[in-house]
Amino acid sequence: MIGVLVSGAAGRMGREVVRAVMAEPDLALVGVVDPAHAGETLGEGSGLVIAGDLATAIATTAPDVVVDFTHPSVVEGNIRTVLAAGVDCVVGTTGISQERLESLADTAPEGTCLFVAPNFAIGAVLMMRFAAEAARHLPHVEIIELHHDRKADAPSGTALRTASLIAASRPGVPDAPGKETEVAEGARGALVDDVTVHSVRLPGLVAHQEVIFGGQGQTLSIRHDSIDRTSFMPGVVLAIRSVGARSGLVVGLEHLMEASRG
Ligand code: NAD
């Protein structure tokens, strides 16, 4: 059995992770943390009381893995606490730079894994892979990411990752209309790794992204839609099962997907 503690357990993603962990026969939900809901009994049939302090909860429940879906403003502190206890950490919270992740992973004791995925949906990982492939041949590209209106960060972690994969694979940065054509500020979006990214925030959305390539007389659109937060759960469960055999910083579900295919 793999003992799992969920940090951010009362949130939209945290509640889904709790349900996913309880549904797997080889995973045991040993603890739940969410300071804003400390002392409340968690629903989802777990019967667990929500703890307010992560370090204390780790000390009392001795998890094998902590899963964090919280907020960009607290996630770094949480990761530091988990790694300091020598516990593997699976992070879905977005908004941490690669440099910060590397320096956090440096604090981990030997054999401890910090696994981070900007997107745990397998379809989104494939969308990023296909976008990187297309960018080799169609370098003119823009990203439109669409999320629910309570998302804390913009652009999304998925858009940042997609832009970085495109930048690494396309042969160069093509000339394209930039900010100089803007009549209203922001109309041309933000530049990430020289890729233009537009962020849409609306109620009713979950997590969506379209990558649009333009070429002579043609466009190619690669789109992924998470229409429900259960879309992320097979990836989260795969990460929980995989981190025990890993060490150090691993970023991206693609690394685990390939390994799980054998
Ligand atoms: P949410 O606001 O619904 O939930 C966050 C929860 O964290 C809240 O219940 C809050 O009380 C709790 N929290 C705040 N500070 C805490 C702390 N110090 N310790 C423990 N819990 C704390 O947010 P959400 O929609 O569940 O999203 C959470 C994060 O996950 C966001 O960064 C979001 O972008 C990210 N996300 C990632 C993926 C992915 O596939 N990687 C998918 C969806 C969302």
Side-chain angles (χ1 to χ4, degrees):
M1 290 292 268
I2 303 172
V4 181
L5 184 151
V6 179
S7 167
R12 285 175 288 256
M13 287 297 288
R15 283 195 303 267
E16 210 58 69
V17 174
V18 163
R19 278 193 281 271
V21 168
M22 291 196 330
E24 297 298 326
D26 59 327
L27 307 184
L29 182 71
V30 298
V32 286
V33 177
D34 198 312
H37 298 269
E40 296 173 16
T41 302
L42 185 74
E44 334 301 336
S46 75
L48 290 176
V49 175
I50 302 174
D53 182 67
L54 182 58
T56 312
I58 291 172
T60 52
T61 64
D64 299 298
V65 181
V66 171
V67 180
D68 187 286
F69 280 93
T70 56
H71 191 273
S73 62
V74 299
V75 62
E76 287 192 36
N78 287 351
I79 293 172
R80 220 172 276 116
T81 301
V82 176
L83 296 181
V87 175
D88 294 324
C89 194
V90 170
V91 177
T93 312
T94 48
I96 328 168
S97 70
Q98 178 72 21
E99 295 70 39
R100 295 297 306 143
L101 287 174
E102 281 165 16
S103 88
L104 285 163
D106 283 345
T107 68
E110 189 63 34
T112 309
C113 180
L114 170 58
F115 177 80
V116 186
N119 200 313
F120 278 94
I122 280 138
V125 175
L126 294 175
M127 174 262 295
M128 289 187 261
R129 182 190 294 175
F130 299 154
E133 172 65 15
R136 292 175 55 214
H137 310 282
L138 292 168
H140 289 85
V141 53
E142 300 201 6
I143 297 171
I144 305 174
E145 58 95 341
L146 312 91
H147 282 81
H148 61 90
D149 57 341
R150 281 174 291 166
K151 182 166 176 57
D153 49 328
S156 68
T158 304
L160 296 175
R161 177 83 169 160
T162 310
S164 120
L165 291 171
I166 287 171
S169 74
R170 68 178 172 179
V173 181
D175 289 337
K179 300 273 182 192
E180 66 278 4
T181 64
E182 276 184 351
V183 176
E185 194 186 336
R188 288 290 299 126
L191 266 191
V192 179
D193 286 332
D194 288 317
V195 178
T196 300
V197 179
H198 309 268
S199 296
V200 177
R201 296 289 176 266
L202 286 172
L205 293 169
V206 179
H208 318 257
Q209 180 167 291
E210 187 161 349
V211 188
I212 309 176
F213 296 86
Q216 196 175 351
Q218 61 184 314
T219 65
L220 169 67
S221 296
I222 302 173
R223 181 172 172 118
H224 177 260
D225 295 276
S226 276
I227 51 176
D228 189 295
R229 288 182 178 81
T230 56
S231 62
F232 304 112
M233 294 308 120
V236 172
V237 168
L238 173 62
I240 292 169
R241 290 195 179 119
S242 304
V243 283
R246 304 275 176 150
S247 176
L249 177 64
V250 181
V251 180
L253 196 68
E254 57 274 22
H255 303 292
L256 308 185
M257 285 164 63
E258 294 307 327
S260 73
R261 278 161 46 92

Coordinates of all heavy atoms in Angstrom, one line a residue, residues 8 106 115 125 140 198 221 231:
G8 N -4.3 20.6 0.2 CA -5.3 21.4 -0.6 C -6.5 20.5 -0.8 O -7.3 20.7 -1.7
D106 N 16.9 20.6 -5.0 CA 18.3 20.5 -4.5 C 18.2 20.3 -3.0 O 19.2 19.8 -2.4 CB 19.1 21.8 -4.8 CG 19.6 21.8 -6.2 OD1 19.5 20.7 -6.9 OD2 20.0 22.9 -6.7
F115 N 8.1 15.4 -8.1 CA 7.4 15.3 -9.4 C 6.4 16.4 -9.6 O 5.6 16.6 -8.8 CB 6.7 13.9 -9.6 CG 6.1 13.8 -10.9 CD1 6.8 13.6 -12.1 CD2 4.7 14.1 -11.0 CE1 6.2 13.5 -13.3 CE2 4.1 14.1 -12.3 CZ 4.8 13.8 -13.4
V125 N -1.0 16.2 -22.5 CA 0.4 15.9 -22.7 C 0.6 15.6 -24.2 O 1.6 16.0 -24.8 CB 0.8 14.7 -21.9 CG1 2.3 14.2 -22.2 CG2 0.7 15.0 -20.4
H140 N 5.0 29.5 -37.5 CA 4.1 30.5 -37.1 C 3.0 29.9 -36.2 O 2.2 29.1 -36.7 CB 3.4 31.2 -38.3 CG 4.4 32.1 -39.1 ND1 5.2 31.6 -40.1 CD2 4.6 33.4 -39.0 CE1 5.9 32.5 -40.6 NE2 5.6 33.7 -40.0
H198 N -2.6 33.8 -25.4 CA -3.8 34.5 -25.0 C -4.5 33.7 -23.9 O -4.7 32.5 -24.1 CB -4.7 34.7 -26.2 CG -4.0 35.2 -27.5 ND1 -4.0 36.6 -27.8 CD2 -3.4 34.6 -28.5 CE1 -3.3 36.7 -28.9 NE2 -2.9 35.6 -29.4
S221 N -5.0 23.4 -36.3 CA -5.3 23.6 -34.9 C -5.2 22.3 -34.1 O -5.7 21.3 -34.5 CB -6.8 24.1 -34.8 OG -6.9 25.4 -35.4
S231 N -10.5 14.2 -15.5 CA -9.5 14.0 -16.6 C -8.1 14.0 -16.1 O -7.2 13.4 -16.7 CB -9.6 15.1 -17.7 OG -9.3 16.4 -17.1

